[in-house]
Amino acid sequence: MRDSPACGTLPDTGLIEAARGLIPADMVFTDAEIFNPFTCSFERGNLAVKNGVVLGTGDYEGIVERDMRGKYLVPGLIDAHVHIESSLLIPREYALLVSRHGTRVVIADPHEIANVAGLQGIGFMLSGSRNLPVDIRYMVPSCVPATPADIGGAVLSAEECRRLFRKKGVLGLGEVMNVPGVLSGDPSICEKIGIFGLRDGHAPLLAGNDLNAYILAGLQSDHECTTSKEAEVKLRQGMYLYLREGSTERNIEELAPLITPNTVSRCCFATDDCHADLLMNDGHIDRCIRKAVSCGVLPELAIRMATLSAAERFGLSSYGALSPGRRADFCIVDDPELFRVKEVIVAGIPLGSAALPTGPRKKLRAHFACRVPAPSDLRITEKGIARVIGLIPGQILTEALSFECNGRELPEVNRDILKVVVCNRYGKKSIATGLVHGFGFLRGAIASTVSHDAHNLIAVGTNDTEIIEAIAAVVRMRGGMTAVASGQRADLPLNCGGLMSTLPFAEVVERIRSLQDLTSTMGGISDPFMYLSFLSLTVIPALRITDRGIFDYGRFSDVGLFV
């Protein structure tokens, strides 16, 4: 079904007759509380469906009638911004998982796999997103690499972005992270912006005249707001605001007071980066609705954000409401405040009765040429004031800390100053060692090839021996996640570019659980792999580490480990 009728398309006379009540509907859901996002209210009535399309509400007869007994019907939920790769699942398994939580549409930016495998990686995502219970629409990655200095496995040119824009299922331009490039008028960035009508932004902490210039350049949304003050300014300047609640990025509580009847049309939910275990155990956009309501947002406004607000933002006129002519995609809940999805309906058919994808799970083999470091590669010999990356719980922002350190005594577990190591996995053989505070590990090490955005191999640990052991295990898998501690080890192989697994989602969740069981014995912060994955993301303040060494976002340049 198209998002809107094509020019010259004749209306379906059979549907018109059914909408008038002259012929029976396929299905009528009677005595239901139906959410109306246009008025932000629930209305008691009967919902009629034919050929997977909503006929309307009113007095209808159906070939099949289901008594809802006052249950609540809510349009299919929409995620305004997500990186499917961060779930560690291929698109098919991701769709099978989130559809159970009432999600019907996700707006995905495949820039993670694009940084690893370029057009081949994007093609893998597009081809793997067909005939699924979730409609996956894509935004073309705008910054591959994230910055000119962070080249990973590919570079995506403006001409390649133009060709991708012609692909079915592609909506617009993904988050434009290279803020300095936009503000300086970088021709390659400006050319990409000019190709697309829909453009997502990425501008953490940007304010004042620079924010004005960023918006003037054509960027329309932001999902990086971490304070209500920052978010309010961006709303007032006309940006769409995506309230983000991922595995690490927990922003709804801070931003919830901004959601009012006056702002709700400009606000959506985004999960950005969520591991599969969070999606399976706690939910997807349904989790965002519950979190927003618990933070004081009216249920009707939270549901509006998850449905019509997102549909209108992306021009998806077939979604977002249960009004005549739109898709009969909705979820059934008992209580809009608790928002527990009891059943999902796709095109008028219960999800459990719909045909689900079968067949082999194709994997993506990407170039991998990473060497295991020698002990000398991790050695730090300097002493003095060291720059230390400081984790912030619940955020991907970091602090720029400084500690008096003697390199030969590092890591220092008692001060929670651990070594973090980045190894280039594309054949350059470059290795860098830095320092991080906040993991809180008392023993052991972890390593992963999920390391935004270049996705080099990254590791953190309490001693050099186990750091090297964890790195070696990931290298043998040619990509994945490993935890080691006192002779114990847990692994999750990621056979699609070192980012995703072709295993069924339940098996991936079980592997994640094994990793978490081991890391929990190491002490420290929960979900350490997600925090680790962002330590190389140079487009987020404040300190980062790449295979070149320490990167200072404020200076937007590499700096020394010691001041």
Side-chain angles (χ1 to χ4, degrees):
M1 182 176 178
R2 298 178 64 88
D3 293 324
S4 58
C7 293
T9 301
L10 295 175
D12 188 321
T13 55
L15 288 179
I16 291 174
E17 288 183 328
R20 294 181 65 197
L22 302 178
I23 59 175
D26 293 339
M27 176 81 75
V28 178
F29 298 83
T30 64
D31 194 29
E33 293 287 349
I34 305 164
F35 182 67
N36 186 331
F38 304 109
T39 60
C40 285
S41 63
F42 283 93
E43 301 169 357
R44 181 69 68 98
N46 304 325
L47 181 73
V49 175
K50 188 174 182 64
N51 297 346
V53 175
V54 173
L55 300 176
T57 56
D59 186 12
Y60 285 102
E61 292 184 359
I63 298 172
V64 177
E65 296 186 1
R66 285 188 59 181
D67 186 355
M68 291 289 98
R69 298 182 184 274
K71 288 186 172 64
Y72 296 84
L73 309 188
V74 173
L77 309 180
I78 302 173
D79 189 335
H81 176 74
V82 66
H83 305 291
I84 292 173
E85 304 96 309
S86 291
S87 71
L88 311 177
L89 304 172
I90 58 175
R92 180 170 90 174
E93 292 300 314
Y94 177 86
L96 291 175
L97 176 51
V98 301
S99 62
R100 307 193 316 174
H101 293 282
T103 300
R104 185 61 189 97
V105 183
V106 299
I107 312 300
D109 182 344
H111 80 219
E112 312 301 349
I113 198 65
N115 273 279
V116 171
L119 290 176
Q120 179 192 6
I122 297 173
F124 174 82
M125 301 299 284
L126 287 170
S127 64
S129 300
R130 299 172 187 143
N131 303 317
L132 300 178
V134 171
D135 189 352
I136 302 176
R137 304 296 181 97
Y138 284 99
M139 303 290 276
V140 173
S142 62
C143 299
V144 179
T147 73
D150 293 312
I151 296 175
V155 175
L156 200 62
S157 68
E159 182 52 39
E160 287 169 324
C161 289
R162 193 185 307 276
R163 294 206 305 269
L164 287 168
F165 187 39
R166 303 188 188 106
K167 298 282 188 181
K168 184 179 180 181
V170 172
L171 293 179
L173 186 66
E175 54 181 320
V176 178
M177 301 176 290
N178 188 351
V179 175
V182 174
L183 299 182
S184 66
D186 183 303
S188 64
I189 297 292
C190 291
E191 185 178 357
K192 291 176 183 177
I193 293 172
I195 295 169
F196 302 87
L198 278 172
R199 314 174 196 102
D200 274 343
H202 169 113
L205 306 183
L206 196 63
N209 289 350
D210 282 351
L211 175 61
N212 292 340
Y214 185 79
I215 297 170
L216 183 146
L219 288 314
Q220 302 158 341
S221 67
D222 193 65
H223 60 277
E224 294 291 342
C225 293
T226 53
T227 68
S228 57
K229 181 179 179 181
E230 176 188 4
E232 183 177 11
V233 169
K234 288 174 178 175
L235 273 176
R236 288 182 178 278
Q237 296 289 59
M239 298 190 91
Y240 287 92
L241 182 66
Y242 304 160
L243 278 72
R244 179 174 59 182
E245 196 77 4
S247 285
T248 302
E249 318 98 311
R250 306 292 178 99
N251 305 136
I252 287 179
E253 183 176 2
E254 172 67 24
L255 305 184
L258 293 174
I259 307 305
T260 70
N262 294 328
T263 63
V264 69
S265 66
R266 307 288 291 185
C267 298
C268 313
F269 289 117
T271 59
D272 205 5
D273 301 284
C274 284
H275 281 165
D277 60 324
L278 178 65
L279 297 172
M280 184 171 178
N281 299 328
D282 295 346
H284 186 221
I285 297 300
D286 57 328
R287 171 177 53 91
C288 295
I289 293 173
R290 290 192 293 272
K291 179 65 176 287
V293 171
S294 73
C295 295
V297 177
L298 291 174
E300 292 81 2
L301 296 183
I303 297 169
R304 211 280 194 186
M305 289 172 59
T307 55
L308 186 63
S309 295
E312 291 185 334
R313 156 62 181 148
F314 293 100
L316 300 175
S317 58
S318 292
Y319 297 100
L322 295 175
S323 58
R326 300 198 187 217
R327 288 186 58 102
D329 296 340
F330 55 92
C331 45
I332 301 171
V333 300
D334 284 341
D335 184 328
E337 292 195 25
L338 300 177
F339 209 88
R340 298 292 177 182
V341 176
K342 301 299 182 181
E343 187 177 358
V344 177
I345 307 296
V346 177
I349 300 173
L351 181 63
S353 303
L356 297 178
T358 59
R361 298 173 177 87
K362 295 181 180 179
K363 64 181 179 181
L364 173 68
R365 291 190 64 86
H367 178 66
F368 189 90
C370 184
R371 74 177 178 92
V372 178
S376 58
D377 293 314
L378 276 59
R379 194 170 297 136
I380 299 173
T381 58
E382 303 97 319
K383 62 173 63 176
I385 303 297
R387 294 182 170 93
V388 179
I389 304 167
L391 301 186
I392 301 176
Q395 303 292 344
I396 60 173
L397 298 172
T398 65
E399 294 181 288
L401 304 179
S402 58
F403 289 87
E404 182 77 35
C405 292
N406 181 341
R408 298 186 184 278
E409 297 174 356
L410 294 169
E412 289 190 53
V413 174
N414 61 326
R415 287 203 291 169
D416 188 22
I417 302 175
L418 305 183
K419 284 185 180 179
V420 55
V421 179
V422 178
C423 307
N424 186 282
R425 66 140 143 168
Y426 302 103
K428 293 182 180 178
K429 300 184 179 180
S430 50
I431 296 172
T433 301
L435 301 172
V436 62
H437 174 81
F439 277 97
F441 290 159
L442 301 177
R443 64 191 185 104
I446 61 175
S448 174
T449 46
V450 180
S451 174
H452 307 277
D453 276 335
H455 295 290
N456 287 309
L457 198 159
I458 188 168
V460 65
T462 60
N463 62 86
D464 291 0
T465 300
E466 288 184 312
I467 290 173
I468 293 172
E469 182 185 347
I471 291 172
V474 172
V475 170
R476 285 194 297 272
M477 292 187 291
R478 296 181 59 84
M481 306 168 95
T482 291
V484 297
S486 305
Q488 296 179 287
R489 197 178 92 205
D491 297 315
L492 170 58
L494 299 173
N495 59 348
C496 289
L499 301 181
M500 297 170 284
S501 169
T502 54
L503 291 172
F505 67 78
E507 292 187 36
V508 172
V509 169
E510 187 59 36
R511 295 288 190 108
I512 294 172
R513 186 176 294 116
S514 296
L515 288 167
Q516 290 176 338
D517 287 345
L518 184 51
T519 57
S520 68
T521 70
M522 295 160 57
I525 202 164
S526 61
D527 211 352
F529 280 97
M530 189 61 86
Y531 285 95
L532 181 68
S533 72
F534 287 107
L535 291 188
S536 289
L537 185 52
T538 56
V539 293
I540 296 288
L543 284 185
R544 302 285 151 177
I545 181 170
T546 73
D547 61 321
R548 304 182 307 275
I550 304 300
F551 182 88
D552 185 328
Y553 178 87
R555 304 183 187 187
F556 219 72
S557 65
D558 296 332
V559 294
L561 176 58
F562 283 82
V563 178

